[in-house]
Amino acid sequence: TKSAYTKIFSDLSPYQNITFAWTLSPQPIIDKYEWATPSLVQRLKAAQIAINKGWNVRLCIDPILYQDNFEQDYNDLINIMVETLDIKKVNQITLGSFRMSGAHLRSIKKLSRSDLAFYPYSNQNDMITYSEKIESFILEFMLARITPHFPKERIRTWQRQS
């Protein structure tokens, strides 16, 4: 979710078989593509409230967008996560580069609604994503930034199927 709603955590007792997940993006990405959604800090504060109440929490940095200021924006995202959350109490972090079906991308191109639609993606079995080189760079970059703060065995990554 991209929510900052936290009342549910006060109203219910935690269940160990339920995990709340937050989708996280750098604030410049939120500002550009995720209109009318809570800020990064609002999402992180909501996740921390859930953690404090005993709920399982997953952070999803997905989709990761490779664009101008990629390294700075995602480095800032990790720094803000570490400053705002008790990150060691997060159950899992997932990472995944941008991807979508070819049909969905063609629909977006027809509407001309987003600059994301016109990047020169790789197409493998009608799955549109970055080239393997860029995808590898994205995941290596993110893992190098996250693993000093969070155990690698609790990080899941999306990678294309060969």
Side-chain angles (χ1 to χ4, degrees), residues 1-154:
T1 183
K2 295 177 176 122
S3 179
Y5 182 76
T6 59
K7 188 175 184 310
I8 190 170
F9 306 121
S10 298
D11 292 347
L12 297 174
S13 297
Y15 292 91
Q16 289 309 303
N17 62 339
I18 296 176
T19 299
F20 285 92
W22 275 266
T23 301
L24 304 179
S25 300
Q27 191 59 50
I29 301 289
I30 293 169
D31 295 342
K32 186 172 184 179
Y33 299 110
E34 299 178 6
W35 313 293
T37 64
S39 71
L40 172 61
V41 171
Q42 289 172 315
R43 296 175 200 186
L44 290 169
K45 286 181 177 179
Q48 186 61 55
I49 290 170
I51 290 168
N52 291 346
K53 295 290 185 175
W55 291 93
N56 294 319
V57 168
R58 176 184 306 124
L59 301 177
C60 306
I61 306 173
D62 186 350
I64 299 170
L65 302 179
Y66 185 74
Q67 57 182 20
D68 292 341
N69 302 317
F70 164 78
E71 291 181 30
Q72 182 64 53
D73 288 347
Y74 283 91
N75 196 54
D76 290 349
L77 168 65
I78 301 304
N79 290 338
I80 293 167
M81 283 172 50
V82 170
E83 292 167 5
T84 307
L85 279 177
D86 185 353
I87 198 161
K88 298 266 193 247
K89 292 187 178 177
V90 170
N91 295 77
Q92 186 181 69
I93 294 176
T94 62
L95 304 172
S97 60
F98 176 82
R99 68 216 178 264
M100 68 173 52
S101 72
H104 193 147
L105 183 66
R106 287 187 291 280
S107 296
I108 292 171
K109 281 184 176 181
K110 285 179 186 176
L111 297 172
S112 299
R113 289 198 172 175
S114 175
D115 60 330
L116 293 175
F118 298 97
Y119 184 89
Y121 298 106
S122 171
N123 183 340
Q124 184 176 354
N125 300 323
D126 206 40
M127 175 62 68
I128 307 300
T129 189
Y130 298 114
S131 69
E132 287 186 49
K133 181 179 176 183
I134 292 174
E135 184 181 292
S136 293
F137 172 76
I138 288 170
L139 292 177
E140 288 170 16
F141 176 88
M142 294 300 290
L143 286 169
R145 298 312 179 281
I146 293 173
T147 53
H149 311 286
F150 193 78
K152 188 172 183 177
E153 61 272 8
R154 293 187 3 227

